[in-house]
Amino acid sequence: MLFRSSETIDFVFSCQKPNGGFGAAPRHDAHMLYTCSAIQILATVDALDELDKRGPGKQKLGEWIANLQNKETGTFAGDEWGECDTRFICCGFIGLSLLGLLHLADVDKAVGYIKKCQNFDGGYGVSPGAESHSGQIFACLGALSIAGKLDTVKKPQLAGWLSERQTEGGGLNGRPEKLEDVCYSWWVASSLAMLGCLNYIDGKKLETFILKCQDSERGGLADRPGDMVDVFHTVFGVAGLSLLGFPGLAEVDPI
């Protein structure tokens, strides 16, 4: 590996709280988004077993995640302060499934909440009645995939809506009338992949757009050609290229 995984693991655990959750950085409050990231990082470097060697352990971590679920509505909050968002359902499901503790959540309740967030166009928003957005669609489809409930999706409408996110320049956007952005190479393409409809977009045009966003001297990818590169867009640009089968890249799981 090009990075020192032992130092990465040490940093991740420096962000864990006594309640089991992880913050964005040391001394930050625990939050669902960063807890999901921490679990994914540990899984990537094959260090999930470290959870039972340092800090409160896997079970405590799983219980912290599960306790953020609203027992009446089925949705999840991001932290103890209670902000709800469909992203947090996805993060909760990803974290619990990687820990082998998905049974701690009320999966059916969460699926019921996601169904209430489904719009006439087939898409999903942050909450019931909110407009469809590509990022939230990924979150909802990811959660439904983990739950084995993709049969609840309005597939023709949703696949059509997602395919319309491709602009003339080949890139993808998050909503109608918005500019294309490299990060949606992941949010949109992964959603289409989960639906088995990745062929609904022009993969070659998307690949060309992503590569145009690369800094040929410094490396990395920007949101659009000519903009400053950053890690966020680099991650999702490379992930999008992987979905498209770009040579030399490892296969990425769209869920």
Side-chain angles (χ1 to χ4, degrees), residues 109-141:
K109 276 264 189 183
V111 169
Y113 182 84
I114 292 173
K115 289 169 67 176
K116 292 177 182 177
C117 297
Q118 190 174 53
N119 294 317
F120 71 93
D121 54 19
Y124 300 84
V126 299
S127 59
E131 70 171 316
S132 298
H133 186 282
S134 300
Q136 305 301 141
I137 289 169
F138 162 81
C140 290
L141 289 184

Side-chain angles (χ1 to χ4, degrees), residues 82-148:
E83 179 192 8
C84 294
D85 186 317
T86 46
R87 289 176 302 163
F88 305 148
I89 299 177
C90 182
C91 289
F93 276 21
I94 289 174
L96 289 171
S97 62
L98 286 174
L99 295 173
L101 297 172
L102 189 58
H103 62 275
L104 295 179
D106 189 331
V107 173
D108 290 339
K109 276 264 189 183
V111 169
Y113 182 84
I114 292 173
K115 289 169 67 176
K116 292 177 182 177
C117 297
Q118 190 174 53
N119 294 317
F120 71 93
D121 54 19
Y124 300 84
V126 299
S127 59
E131 70 171 316
S132 298
H133 186 282
S134 300
Q136 305 301 141
I137 289 169
F138 162 81
C140 290
L141 289 184
L144 292 173
S145 296
I146 292 171

Side-chain angles (χ1 to χ4, degrees), residues 22-34:
F22 290 82
R27 299 183 298 281
H28 284 224
D29 291 338
H31 193 281
M32 181 74 83
L33 293 178
Y34 307 112

